[in-house]
Amino acid sequence: MSTDTLEARLERLESIEEIRQLAGKYSLSLDMRDLDAHVNLFAPDVRVGKDRVGRAHFKAWQTDTLRDQFTGTSHHLGQHIIEFADRDHATGVVYSKNEHECGGEWVIMQMLYWDDYERIDGRWYFRRRLPCYWYATDLNKPPIGDMKMRWPGREPYRGTFHELFPSWREFWAERPDKDRLPEVAAPAPLEQFLATMRRGTPAPRIRVR
């Protein structure tokens, strides 16, 4: 998105605020189980699974998931980074710390969302939300070690919290020479911070809860 003029800069700020409101509305509508409000935050032709399209399919999927797995939820948002591809398309990363009542267990979770946003007829919507989980575990059971996704009644499995960004594996694979100063790459171009961190890697495959 060009910001060469005052009008363009104001439009960018308004878009950033609307997108941030979108993320807040997502959490509130989900936690309060207002699924009409929830699915209307997504593009009308939102894709649901491999072969279903539309808000009605999304509402049906969300209804089944929420009724089957959770008595109640609370989603707490953290930092939100937003970058624009053009006037009507943007990407973002949102941290989220969540709590879930799952029968007799209270499951806490740390995750982030990788978002694609699109402006349609003057309003911003989610085009896609990719949830990347670090851990999920009962409140009284710290998620130390591997397989940090630990839902009641399921075998533990790995999340995808770090898979969006190659830097995690690179950091642990390197054995720096402490006698030499490390090289520092050039700063990422404007609106390319997230893309630079991703380094062209594909989105991870997300395991359904």
Side-chain angles (χ1 to χ4, degrees), residues 3-140:
T3 57
D4 293 339
T5 67
L6 179 59
E7 182 179 3
R9 293 170 66 183
L10 288 173
E11 179 184 352
R12 183 178 186 275
L13 290 173
E14 289 176 346
S15 292
I16 288 173
E17 181 57 26
E18 186 175 346
I19 291 170
R20 285 179 174 162
Q21 290 286 322
L22 197 64
K25 291 173 182 177
Y26 175 98
S27 295
L28 180 63
S29 59
L30 182 64
D31 292 337
M32 298 303 139
R33 301 299 188 264
D34 190 332
L35 296 188
D36 288 329
H38 189 69
V39 301
N40 281 321
L41 300 173
F42 288 76
D45 58 341
V46 58
R47 181 169 295 279
V48 185
K50 294 182 179 179
D51 54 5
R52 291 173 293 173
V53 174
R55 290 169 175 162
H57 286 295
F58 187 34
K59 182 178 179 180
W61 178 83
Q62 283 281 40
T63 298
D64 290 343
T65 300
L66 293 169
R67 287 189 182 277
D68 291 345
Q69 298 186 33
F70 310 116
T71 305
T73 56
S74 181
H75 290 68
H76 306 263
L77 300 183
Q79 58 265 38
H80 192 171
I81 301 172
I82 301 165
E83 295 183 343
F84 294 89
D86 54 44
R87 290 184 62 198
D88 297 321
H89 297 87
T91 58
V93 167
V94 188
Y95 273 61
S96 189
K97 188 71 173 285
N98 312 325
E99 302 195 21
H100 312 77
E101 185 178 4
C102 302
E105 295 195 49
W106 197 275
V107 177
I108 57 174
M109 170 190 280
Q110 178 64 60
M111 62 173 295
L112 61 79
Y113 292 101
W114 175 266
D115 291 337
D116 293 320
Y117 314 108
E118 182 175 353
R119 183 160 56 180
I120 303 172
D121 296 330
R123 293 186 62 180
W124 283 96
Y125 297 93
F126 293 109
R127 169 54 63 188
R128 184 184 70 158
R129 298 211 91 182
L130 185 68
C132 297
Y133 309 113
W134 185 22
Y135 65 78
T137 188
D138 183 88
L139 179 64
N140 298 307

